Amino acid sequence: MSEAIDISALVRKNILEMKPYSSARDEYSGSASVYLDANENPFNTPLNRYPDPGQQTLKRKIGFLKGQKMENIFLGNGSDEGIDILFRVLCEPGRDNVITVDPSYGMYGVCAEINGVERRSILLKSNFSLDPDAVLEAVDEHTKLIFLCSPNNPTSNSLDREAMLKIIDGVSCMVVVDEAYIDFSKGAGLLPILDEKKNLVVLQTLSKAWGLAGIRLGMLFAHPELIAYLSAVKYPYNINSLSIEAAMEGLMETGQQRDWIREILDERDRMIKELESLDIVRMVHPSDANFLLIQVDNPSEVYQFLLNKGIIVRDRSRVPLCEGSLRITIGSKEENRALISALKTKQS
Ligand SMILES: *Cc1c(COP(=O)(O)O)cnc(C)c1O
């Protein structure tokens, strides 16, 4: 169905008709020697200058690393900005709907509520696999977005590629595949086929494998036509100079990133064995990410016990399909060791 996708037909009427704010740096983006166009302070260089609203340098770098053209990239204040701006550009409050496949990342639902958009929740199967037909059945002519998260948070598994493709090829709305954890995954994800799927949106982030959650830098990859609408709606200077600089520096360190990932994955495999050997752990779900979902007998009690020892994990036991479960991030060797020793004292 990819060829039949009409992106402008999915965009809200007010967005189609709006005239974007034009900043001083939008109107002149070349390089001059005297800048008297933006009412900046001439002192305190370099932070006295507004950042590039088009983030050209950073997009070039990310495009090179990811094998994508700059026109396919939107950068946001975390992936969360990408998620919210999709709602604001595509979903008419009170009329349109989105579909989430749960349990999954909470921001999809929060953004739906904030934007006054109906959310249709489809459950994963009990083994956490995706049921594409159940998703397709929930789609109607007002469905604008379908959110798939792979590897999925909090279940830690990747969704089946063919099942995701069945959904993408079976609808005329946008399908967002959140790949926040893709660098920890065995699979390559869907970014390599972005050019073939006009209704595919891929979200990635510098918050996890790149170790840069503090700078808030999310990457959204999509068809250039959608990127143009998102760019017209975003705050002009949504990525600040310090974040751009830290991202440029961080992205140079590809060797270090590989080492971190390898170390985290080694620790994850070691932690799976350690956790499985504890009596209070009923099961550790297979993980394709940098965290584990484990089942214990008394999740709230274990959570509180760890908290009293200064160790914070995530209690997911009230989430559908995750009854009895805690979500545990893979930390440093020392942090992981502290968790295991604490759990051992709980056991005895
Ligand atoms: C952590 C996470 C993100 C990252 O969000 P940022 O706003 O980029 O920090 C996105 N999606 C999922 C599913 C996550 O777990």
Side-chain angles (χ1 to χ4, degrees):
M1 199 175 281
S2 211
E3 278 319 298
I5 306 288
D6 180 355
I7 289 179
S8 62
L10 293 169
V11 173
R12 294 169 66 193
K13 188 160 167 288
N14 60 315
I15 304 297
L16 289 173
E17 291 171 353
M18 75 175 272
K19 185 177 180 308
Y21 173 74
S22 182
S23 68
R25 286 298 126 79
D26 269 329
E27 287 177 11
Y28 183 82
S29 61
S31 115
S33 54
V34 180
Y35 284 103
L36 301 175
D37 58 340
N39 297 348
E40 295 153 334
N41 190 316
F43 308 109
N44 202 37
T45 50
L47 290 180
N48 61 328
R49 297 295 173 198
Y50 280 102
D52 169 17
Q55 302 121 9
Q56 304 280 323
T57 311
L58 183 52
K59 281 185 185 171
R60 200 169 297 118
K61 177 87 192 157
I62 289 170
F64 175 76
L65 280 172
K66 299 285 177 182
Q68 294 296 321
K69 293 188 286 294
M70 288 165 69
E71 308 85 76
N72 291 97
I73 305 173
F74 171 88
L75 300 179
N77 186 330
S79 309
D80 294 345
E81 183 183 359
I83 295 165
D84 185 59
I85 209 161
L86 286 166
F87 276 91
R88 293 201 286 145
V89 166
L90 300 174
C91 301
E92 197 59 42
R95 184 196 72 182
D96 290 335
N97 66 74
V98 304
I99 296 172
T100 59
V101 180
D102 297 298
S104 194
Y105 188 46
M107 277 307 286
Y108 316 139
V110 170
C111 286
E113 278 183 9
I114 291 172
N115 287 285
V117 172
E118 179 200 347
R119 175 169 70 105
R120 301 180 173 182
S121 172
I122 303 298
L123 278 188
L124 289 167
K125 295 192 223 172
S126 58
N127 65 357
F128 298 152
S129 69
L130 174 63
D131 179 354
D133 298 316
V135 173
L136 291 172
E137 259 172 53
V139 174
D140 69 13
E141 75 270 29
H142 294 306
T143 304
K144 291 296 182 68
L145 291 165
I146 299 172
F147 287 94
L148 306 174
C149 184
S150 181
N152 187 42
N153 177 5
T155 58
S156 76
N157 60 307
S158 285
L159 301 182
D160 179 65
R161 184 183 175 89
E162 294 310 314
M164 290 195 283
L165 290 175
K166 184 171 184 183
I167 294 171
I168 294 164
D169 291 337
V171 298
S172 51
C173 69
M174 303 305 295
V175 180
V176 183
V177 180
D178 187 340
E179 297 187 344
Y181 299 97
I182 197 67
D183 296 318
F184 301 105
S185 164
K186 284 193 279 294
L190 296 188
L191 194 53
I193 60 162
L194 188 78
D195 280 346
E196 300 160 35
K197 307 288 178 190
K198 198 172 173 184
N199 61 333
L200 172 62
V201 177
V202 175
L203 292 175
Q204 294 188 5
T205 179
L206 299 193
S207 294
K208 307 286 158 65
W210 289 98
L212 288 168
I215 71 169
R216 311 306 303 124
L217 207 299
M219 304 171 278
L220 183 154
F221 302 92
H223 190 277
E225 209 180 320
L226 180 65
I227 297 293
Y229 288 115
L230 304 182
S231 302
V233 168
K234 75 178 182 72
Y235 288 166
Y237 306 108
N238 62 327
I239 311 293
N240 70 70
S241 308
L242 296 174
S243 292
I244 291 176
E245 193 185 324
M248 289 298 294
E249 283 175 17
L251 289 169
M252 300 290 236
E253 307 294 333
T254 49
Q256 183 180 71
Q257 189 230 24
R258 266 195 299 275
D259 292 346
W260 285 343
I261 292 170
R262 196 177 313 118
E263 190 164 334
I264 290 166
L265 294 183
D266 285 350
E267 274 296 292
R268 180 188 71 191
D269 295 341
R270 199 180 62 76
M271 287 291 282
I272 293 172
K273 292 202 192 82
E274 293 262 19
L275 288 163
E276 280 176 341
S277 75
L278 301 178
D279 286 340
I280 59 164
V281 176
R282 280 205 189 169
M283 100 161 233
V284 182
H285 289 280
S287 171
D288 206 23
N290 67 333
F291 59 90
L292 296 171
L293 189 71
I294 68 167
Q295 260 178 44
V296 294
D297 282 329
N298 261 314
S300 312
E301 196 187 303
V302 176
Y303 174 83
Q304 199 57 47
F305 173 84
L306 289 171
L307 193 62
N308 291 341
K309 296 196 170 291
I311 299 172
I312 312 172
V313 299
R314 197 88 202 266
D315 184 356
R316 299 280 77 186
S317 61
R318 280 171 295 275
V319 170
L321 300 186
C322 294
E323 294 81 7
S325 298
L326 300 174
R327 194 193 69 191
I328 301 175
T329 306
I330 303 301
S332 67
K333 272 201 171 60
E334 295 69 32
E335 291 168 324
N336 301 335
R337 224 176 270 141
L339 174 83
I340 297 292
S341 349
L343 287 175
K344 279 182 177 159
T345 64
K346 169 88 176 97
Q347 199 167 26
S348 51

